[in-house]
Amino acid sequence: MADPSPSQIAGWLEQAQLGDAAARDQLFGACRSFVAITARVHLQRRLQSKVDASDLAQQSLLEAHRGFERFAGQSPQEWFGWLKQIVVHNAADVAKQYRGTAKRDAGREISLAAESSNSAAWDHTPPDPGPSPSQVVAGMEQELLMAAAIEQLPDDYREVLILRHLERLPFQEVAERMGRSRGACQMLWARAMEQLKGLMSQTSQATREPLPQ
Amino acid sequence: MTEPRELPFDADHLDRYLEAVQARDVAEQRRLIDAHPDLAEWSDCVQGLEQLAQVIESPLPEMPLSESAVIGQNFGKYEILKELGRGGMGIVYHARQIDLGRDVALKMMTAGIYATEDQRRRFISEARLAARIRHPRIISIHDAGELHGQLFFTMDLIAGEDLASCLKAGCPPQRSAVELLQTVALSVQHLHEQGILHRDLKPSNILLDEAGDPHLMDFGLAHGDDRDTAATATGTVLGTPSYMPPEQALGHIRDIDARSDVYSLGAILYELLTGRPPFVGESRVGTLLLVLEREPVRPRLLDPSIPRDLERICLRCLEKEPDRRYPSANALAHDLSAWLAGERIETPEDGMLQRLQRTIRRYPAAGYRCAVLASTMFFVILRCLFRPDYGSYYLPVILGLLSWTGLSVFWEWRGRRAPEDRWIGYAFALTDVLLLTLLLVMTENAEKATVGAYLFLVSVSALWLDVTLLRVTGLASVVGYASLLFLSADEVPLHVAAIMGVLILGTVALSEFQVRRLKFGQRLQP
């Protein structure tokens, strides 16, 4: 297998759409951790800490696999959009079911303050528009590696990175969400970063290795 | 910040660097790396995480169908001309079928190629159901299929407006309203005969053609006998609460039958006659609570020109209990045509019990007070019958209870005239506390179990779902109880008084907790 190059995903996608089963497996293998991380972030957002994110990821991947023929887009951009759409839809479904069956528990877990400060975090607009979605997707291989590395971390390391980096919450809120002190969270975060850095340098050294499956 | 730090690097610098990255402040990033060169080895990691965050957060790529870009495009053998409307899951376009040269309405899924399995299943089931129907007053399907991963079907194109937009301009004359609803009821009957429930009947799903004839449409929530569990599971949360029967609002899927559609027909008739749906709350949950608990305002109260018989037909459709509604859409249509012909309608006048039930549901605040006060009076009078010598002692008590009843009815009547005023709840609460204290003082009941009535008053005031009102009632109860102790001749031990005070405040706290919970639930609902 070749190095992950910017055209790798596009190539697999094209081959898979022409009916190449091996390319399709490679495509799904490469996107597995991306789907897993997206599922985790969306469950976090819906405050559904009790739902198992890997179930959601698994279900979404299965759906994408089964419905692959129906994916009519061409670019990797559309492909990741499609995957994300499936995850977002399933997360919404799960949240709906969960709210229906366990209203009491959910109510106990979510405080009004947590919800409002959380939504305020989303309203925050950065001073600079940042890269456009197409620029973001052009180098997706790097992000896929990052997603795979995060997936390998222990649970609490992963959680602190998701809250602090992917959700961009300040430490005070990370601490509230994780039910630990602020100092303990910063400590946990520092250790998580260290381990992540180690994992990332391993992958970049072993460039001959295939993408994690 | 008291935890020991034993890290091999300075986490504070890294934290500041991360903040600069998240704020996209490039100058600050550069400054930090210059000042602390060991940060450089972290930059890949931090930047990589940030990029991943952006990918997860970036908006979904544009969906061809959510854009007006499709207008003027060819879609298979159809040319899309303009957008007609959007529903929960579909967009309807005015399109021209090129080969036959005719105009049709073309419905596609909003989610386009991003639609999930579940959404596709629902869309297909809608098309299948609609294709089974051939009726001049129900929109029929011509063609269905899939093109470029996009599901679609085409229907009759009706030039005209839907009933909801017509109603915005004003109510139709009563006779035309009844004729219109009779036609719709017969179309619904046809659906039921085919084994299909519509489940989402509302003015916006009724199209009026240029002649003013109604055409039924939108089977997005409908389902046939072949109960598709996935589609019904999601169906319960959909639908428009203002036109939804209680059994559907509660999500009791098994209880939904033809009489549920009869209810929605009644809700449409109500709006045709009065200009507003029977229940409109501040929020979705507010509306649902009204649907479940309250009696609609009598149409004749909103417009005295509405004939009594028509009001009775309308309210029979809107009965909470399906057994009390018309058994079928046909029976409703039959009663409507009897009214049009000036004949006797089938629906009987309300019985005594039913009228009482309606009154209590219509005026719950006064209704429940009257019920409780009347039973209290009953026991007091019973006591007088057994001990006639106590008559002079109990006479003022009965007078007190009677004026309490009278005041409740008065407040309810004032409240009806200005329903948006909040003071009415306070008026009720203060009247209650005042009269209760007065009665307890009169009967020298300070140390007896009847003081428990204060707790009852606090719980009752929670029904207004207003925390301030609840607290005011609690405070008033404490003050009332204190003055009772002060005025009463009996000596009440201090610890008993303290326990009673704690019970009142505890009831306030507990009720407040429940009110906040319910309000939070309302916020969670879309």
Side-chain angles (χ1 to χ4, degrees), chain B residues 200-449:
Chain B
D200 193 23
L201 290 167
K202 56 183 172 185
S204 59
N205 279 341
I206 295 170
L207 273 180
L208 299 182
D209 61 21
E210 275 155 339
D213 285 327
H215 297 257
L216 206 53
M217 61 171 232
D218 204 343
F219 297 87
L221 285 187
H223 68 78
D225 297 329
D226 47 337
R227 297 205 167 192
D228 181 337
T229 44
T232 41
T234 41
T236 53
V237 291
L238 304 172
T240 313
S242 286
Y243 306 93
M244 204 189 261
E247 63 271 20
Q248 200 170 335
L250 282 170
H252 292 170
I253 299 164
R254 272 163 220 286
D255 296 342
I256 297 175
D257 59 19
R259 293 169 301 181
S260 309
D261 280 348
V262 168
Y263 178 98
S264 305
L265 286 170
I268 298 170
L269 177 62
Y270 190 99
E271 186 165 358
L272 283 169
L273 293 174
T274 66
R276 43 158 277 191
F279 299 107
V280 192
E282 285 171 8
S283 62
R284 206 182 136 85
V285 174
T287 307
L288 287 176
L289 284 178
L290 293 177
V291 168
L292 294 178
E293 295 171 355
R294 298 295 284 269
E295 189 66 26
V297 177
R298 277 177 47 214
R300 280 170 55 80
L301 222 61
L302 296 169
D303 177 2
S305 79
I306 296 169
R308 236 171 252 284
D309 281 355
L310 217 46
E311 177 180 270
R312 230 187 303 154
I313 292 175
C314 188
L315 292 180
R316 180 164 173 200
C317 296
L318 293 173
E319 287 280 3
K320 310 272 179 222
E321 189 57 51
D323 286 340
R324 290 214 186 131
R325 295 178 205 146
Y326 289 96
S328 66
N330 222 4
L332 168 62
H334 191 264
D335 237 7
L336 288 173
S337 56
W339 182 84
L340 284 170
E343 292 164 10
R344 249 172 75 94
I345 62 166
E346 182 209 313
T347 307
E349 296 262 9
D350 284 353
M352 264 288 282
L353 206 68
Q354 208 171 349
R355 224 178 302 168
L356 187 71
Q357 201 180 353
R358 271 192 208 281
T359 312
I360 290 186
R361 268 210 299 253
R362 206 170 277 143
Y363 310 112
Y368 285 107
R369 274 178 182 79
C370 291
V372 171
L373 290 169
S375 358
T376 312
M377 261 187 278
F378 172 76
F379 288 116
V380 171
I381 291 170
L382 212 62
R383 172 85 176 149
C384 290
L385 290 180
F386 281 108
R387 296 291 299 268
D389 48 325
Y390 278 15
S392 59
Y393 170 78
Y394 277 117
L395 190 65
V397 176
I398 293 178
L399 285 179
L401 288 170
L402 276 176
S403 41
W404 194 345
T405 315
L407 269 173
S408 301
V409 172
F410 177 72
W411 291 135
E412 184 72 63
W413 175 69
R414 286 300 302 256
R416 280 305 115 168
R417 286 175 39 186
E420 66 280 2
D421 277 354
R422 303 195 80 90
W423 60 262
I424 207 80
Y426 291 92
F428 265 115
L430 295 180
T431 309
D432 289 349
V433 173
L434 202 71
L435 280 161
L436 175 66
T437 310
L438 207 69
L439 284 169
L440 291 177
V441 168
M442 277 196 310
T443 53
E444 289 163 16
N445 252 332
E447 87 292 11
K448 303 225 177 70

Side-chain angles (χ1 to χ4, degrees), chain B residues 57 122 263 275 343 401 483 509 512:
Chain B
E57 214 164 83
R122 289 219 302 269
Y263 178 98
E343 292 164 10
L401 288 170
S483 27
E512 188 176 325

Side-chain angles (χ1 to χ4, degrees), chain A:
Chain A
M1 197 183 309
D3 301 348
S5 70
S7 59
Q8 189 81 76
I9 297 287
W12 283 333
L13 184 59
E14 198 187 332
Q15 291 299 315
Q17 281 182 311
L18 290 173
D20 181 342
R24 179 158 146 176
D25 286 347
Q26 272 171 326
L27 179 69
F28 273 92
C31 297
R32 184 173 298 274
S33 355
F34 171 77
V35 170
I37 290 288
T38 310
R40 284 184 205 284
V41 170
H42 279 280
L43 285 178
Q44 274 288 352
R45 248 172 232 191
R46 292 173 179 278
L47 303 164
Q48 299 296 322
S49 44
K50 282 192 177 168
V51 182
D52 189 2
S54 52
D55 282 353
L56 176 60
Q58 197 58 38
Q59 187 199 340
S60 306
L61 274 172
L62 206 66
E63 233 171 71
H65 213 278
R66 269 204 307 251
F68 186 74
E69 277 77 26
R70 286 204 333 269
F71 171 68
Q74 276 131 29
S75 64
Q77 183 188 348
E78 284 172 308
W79 165 248
F80 283 106
W82 191 64
L83 285 179
K84 241 162 68 176
Q85 171 85 7
I86 293 175
V87 175
V88 171
H89 176 87
N90 285 339
D93 263 9
V94 166
K96 214 183 287 164
Q97 282 168 14
Y98 184 76
R99 212 153 49 206
T101 55
K103 255 178 205 149
R104 259 174 233 156
D105 289 340
R108 205 177 291 151
E109 277 182 5
I110 312 163
S111 74
L112 282 166
E115 198 205 30
S116 54
S117 61
N118 187 32
S119 62
W122 299 126
D123 294 340
H124 165 77
T125 18
D128 147 41
S132 73
S134 59
Q135 283 171 308
V136 167
V137 175
M140 265 314 281
E141 283 72 16
Q142 202 55 38
E143 282 78 0
L144 291 181
L145 288 176
M146 180 60 85
I150 298 175
E151 276 299 290
Q152 288 175 44
L153 293 175
D155 286 350
D156 49 350
Y157 282 14
R158 187 168 51 223
E159 193 180 354
V160 78
L161 290 184
I162 286 179
L163 290 172
R164 181 68 189 94
H165 290 264
L166 303 187
E167 297 274 48
R168 298 205 188 90
L169 297 178
F171 270 119
Q172 192 55 49
E173 264 178 62
V174 175
E176 278 165 25
R177 289 278 197 96
M178 293 188 74
R180 302 186 188 210
S181 76
R182 190 191 153 114
C185 276
Q186 271 171 321
M187 195 79 144
L188 189 69
W189 167 72
R191 295 221 175 92
M193 284 299 280
E194 225 172 3
Q195 194 167 343
L196 183 71
K197 193 177 83 165
L199 282 170
M200 287 304 283
S201 63
Q202 268 175 33
T203 11
S204 60
Q205 272 159 22
T207 43
R208 287 286 138 198
E209 267 179 39
L211 279 168
Q213 299 273 327

